[in-house]
Amino acid sequence: MNHERAFRLAQDQLHRGQVDQAIETLAEILGESPDEADAHALLALCLVRKKRLHAARLEATRSLELEPDSAFAHVAVATCETADRRFTLAERHLQDALALVPDSTVARYQLAWLYLLWGREHDAAAEAETACGLQPDDAELWALRGRVAWALGD
């Protein structure tokens, strides 16, 4: 199995909302290569979508153990922390991700959502603005920016 190709397939499946299929694809990857940190991180994101937070946290933690300097692993852990409403820990991991990859639109998107959930709308607006500046053709980022503007009453 070509793991890079299978990983991209799992990403696409998750993006299309085919979470169960993405989990199956990632299980195949991890069955052959249990130390694929990105596969553990993506599996954590899938499991959060399925509301299996304990399993998601285990996968995200494993990803971070395998690659402590992975921005994606930090985003996965932050996603689990956000789902558990542990906002301070989530923020710390997202800041760690941004320290590793300052232009990460994924980390900025997650940070904007975190701030929105946390009631920190002005911080959310700043992160959404930065993310849109980094990737101006991403409709999902613009939708988030609109949601933040609505929360601010703009």
Side-chain angles (χ1 to χ4, degrees), residues 4-152:
E4 186 175 320
R5 187 170 161 214
F7 183 79
R8 283 194 311 269
L9 173 63
Q11 286 178 308
D12 290 343
Q13 289 168 327
L14 180 59
H15 187 73
R16 289 190 308 267
Q18 299 171 324
V19 181
D20 292 329
Q21 293 87 339
I23 290 171
E24 287 177 26
T25 302
L26 291 164
E28 289 178 28
I29 294 170
L30 291 169
E32 291 182 15
S33 298
D35 292 339
E36 290 283 336
D38 285 348
H40 283 285
L42 189 59
L43 182 54
L45 298 180
C46 292
L47 293 167
V48 167
R49 283 263 191 96
K50 299 291 282 182
K51 299 185 183 356
R52 295 179 52 201
L53 299 183
H54 179 72
R57 182 179 305 285
L58 292 174
E59 292 298 331
T61 300
R62 181 66 182 141
S63 175
L64 199 55
E65 288 169 353
L66 290 167
E67 284 191 41
D69 292 332
S70 166
F72 187 43
H74 281 285
V75 168
V77 172
T79 301
C80 294
E81 300 297 359
T82 301
D84 271 345
R85 302 194 63 80
R86 296 177 183 170
F87 297 152
T88 302
L89 292 172
E91 181 183 36
R92 186 175 313 136
H93 280 285
L94 290 169
Q95 294 294 352
D96 288 346
L98 288 169
L100 293 165
V101 183
D103 291 343
S104 170
T105 55
V106 172
R108 293 211 180 269
Y109 176 88
Q110 289 295 108
L111 194 53
W113 266 112
L114 170 66
Y115 288 149
L116 196 57
L117 293 170
W118 204 346
R120 294 171 56 182
E121 289 86 1
H122 291 286
D123 292 329
E127 291 302 331
E129 179 76 24
T130 301
C132 285
L134 291 170
Q135 203 165 349
D137 295 335
D138 189 321
E140 199 170 345
L141 294 175
W142 285 97
L144 173 61
R145 188 172 176 206
R147 180 137 186 189
V148 171
W150 181 79
L152 287 168

